[in-house]
Amino acid sequence: MPLSQSQITRFLKSVHPYDALPEDVLEDIARRADIQDVDADAQLYDLGHTLPGVFLIYEGLVEITDENGAVVSQLGLRNSFGERGLLRNGKAATRASAQRASILIILPPDLVQDLVNSHEIVSRFFNRTRGDRSGPQSLATSAIDVLMARDPATCLPDTPVPEAARLMRDKKISSLCVTNADALLGIATLRDISSKYVADSLPPDTAISEIMTSNPITLSPTDIGSDVLHIMMERGIGHIPICKAGQLVGIVTQTDLTHYQAVNSAELVRRIAHADSPAEMATVTAEIPQLLVQLVAAGNRHEIVTRLITDIADTATRRLLTLAEDKLGPPPVPYLWLACGSQGRQEQTGVSDQDNCLMLDDSVTNGDMPYFQSLAKFVSDGLDVCGYFYCPGDMMATNPRWCQPLRVWREYFNGWIAKPNPEAQMLASVMFDLRPIGGTFELFADLQANTLKAASSNSIFVAHMIANSLKHTPPLGLFRGFATVRSGEHRNTLDLKHNGVVPVVDLGRIYALQGQLTEANTRARLKAAEAAGVLSPSGARDLLDAYDLIAESRLEHQVRRVKSGAGPDNYLPPSDLSDFERSHLRDAFVVIKTMQSAVGHGKGMLG
């Protein structure tokens, strides 16, 4: 059935984004478009083939399958396909076939490019990459690599204090990094000289190592400016050395922080770090929803927003640990408090429960355990007061199972790896997101490295973990629709946590396991997986784009809830979305389903 140009023009007026184009542009599209009349079961293109253009379905039904033959989408009237492959490299990343006799309008590549170059709404529709949005370049979002002073002044540990003081005077600086062959040993400041050297009248030949702060807190060039502010506010320090692979590469001081962007979140951190009770802290954490609104409204990317919000939870946890020790006395043996779940991954939003555990030094005795049970209860109760509610699954340090000596933790992980039953899969998934928060961090280092090595080399365990990771599926329905929640309080909504974000979190965890990657943050895992060759560049780009879109949609939904006076949640009614947003969100879900299919078929990389 041939289509007239007027029929094509009328049709385009009913399809986004062409419905927003002027009449003369639509007429030009109609003149340049190709028409394809295909029979049922006809293959339109195969994996890796050169695409003839973007397809619009005027009539019929088309099925899209991935490289493994899994159906990722069934498309009907007014749906389009082929855009992603056409703009990426001109090659098909999927297969397409007609399920019944169909009439297709094909927009040739040169026409698509003209439309993208000339019309912003078309450009936005086709270029779905949100990962290249820079957002506001402020202190909060700038990498430390941009903020730090490079080649900081240094001295050797045996340098006499007067010589170090003259060096600071001559260079007009307030601190010196003490190094040995570029390895950072400590930092000495003018305050150290006045309070330790001058005030105590130490001899002139006193070495700088005698008054320096040994093993100072450091950050890496890839951390962000808010990390600097939050540490400075919490610890009351004004100088932070920057190290890469153990080597000193720069320093950030208070005088370097000339922007204002992170003041709001940093102020919450400061107030929590000086609070004297959980109730006082709760008055601060109650401001998190409004902070969420401000951060999203300012255009911050989702990983920046969740990082800033997680920093507040980390500070609250450390402050509660301090208050607990003030109440209970010093701990009988070293311990480490760790977070898992969204806090462990630094991905907290406006609604979070608590997931945590305690690792104790192996010298702990039965007589010491009541102390740590009391400490766990104090901190967990305090977090609940602050709005980080008790974990429904009791994944908390108050559960004796998750408050154990390091040797027991090793037994846990070894047992889960050796016998990956359903409970082991679930627990291992949670525990692979562990991140130290407060205490003796050394307790975790060897455990993490050894566990990743043992787990990644056990093919049966990896297979079970992959199967477990595929239990959360994107909410894709047939005919370009969504599979919404079927019943209960959130009926007819999309669960953007369990069916949106969690599938990507699970994939990131699998890639980290396969590559023995130590990152806990999902976005960092995906990037590290690409760098390690576990995930192909195109697969990483597609999955990052999809994740960014879903995660930002989730935050925008929470912001709308807060603005309306309701509490933030993860349940988005599709009716809240425009046609434009629905189209892109569904495409993001299709990408995730495709990546899940690749992992499920034993293909860690997607070309």
Side-chain angles (χ1 to χ4, degrees), residues 545-547 549-550 583-593:
D545 290 349
Y547 179 55
L549 178 60
I550 295 167
S583 175
H584 287 337
L585 191 59
R586 192 180 191 284
D587 285 343
F589 292 144
V590 168
V591 168
I592 296 170
K593 184 173 181 179

Side-chain angles (χ1 to χ4, degrees), residues 213-249:
T213 298
S214 300
N215 301 314
I217 295 172
T218 65
L219 290 171
S220 78
T222 57
D223 286 318
I224 57 177
S226 63
D227 295 325
V228 177
L229 269 177
H230 291 177
I231 289 174
M232 287 182 173
M233 291 287 188
E234 182 180 355
R235 306 299 178 92
I237 58 178
H239 308 77
I240 300 179
I242 309 302
C243 294
K244 181 178 181 180
Q247 302 296 300
L248 179 71
V249 295

Side-chain angles (χ1 to χ4, degrees), residues 174 519 558 591:
S174 57
E519 287 80 1
Q558 292 189 1
V591 168

Side-chain angles (χ1 to χ4, degrees), residues 184-204:
L184 181 66
L185 303 177
I187 186 170
T189 66
L190 289 175
R191 186 168 62 179
D192 292 326
I193 293 176
S194 63
S195 64
K196 299 176 183 178
Y197 177 80
V198 176
D200 293 338
S201 301
L202 297 180

Side-chain angles (χ1 to χ4, degrees), residues 484-530:
T484 56
V485 177
R486 294 183 178 181
S487 61
E489 177 185 0
H490 304 294
R491 185 172 178 268
N492 296 329
T493 65
L494 298 173
D495 186 343
L496 291 183
K497 177 181 178 181
H498 292 101
N499 299 117
V501 170
V502 169
V504 186
V505 170
D506 289 341
L507 285 171
R509 191 182 297 115
I510 294 301
Y511 300 140
L513 176 60
Q514 292 173 330
Q516 298 185 40
L517 309 173
T518 58
E519 287 80 1
N521 176 265
T522 298
R523 214 172 190 283
R525 278 174 167 168
L526 297 180
K527 287 188 171 183
E530 178 186 5

Side-chain angles (χ1 to χ4, degrees), residues 320-321 324 328 335 337 354 356-358 360 369-383 390 396-400 402-403:
L320 287 166
L321 287 169
L328 302 172
Y335 71 88
W337 185 281
Q354 55 176 291
N356 46 60
C357 63
L358 267 173
L360 312 176
M369 295 306 293
Y371 175 94
F372 292 108
Q373 291 165 1
S374 297
L375 179 139
K377 183 173 178 10
F378 183 94
V379 175
S380 190
D381 287 350
L383 289 172
Y390 298 123
M396 298 183 296
T398 50
N399 183 338
W402 311 126
C403 178

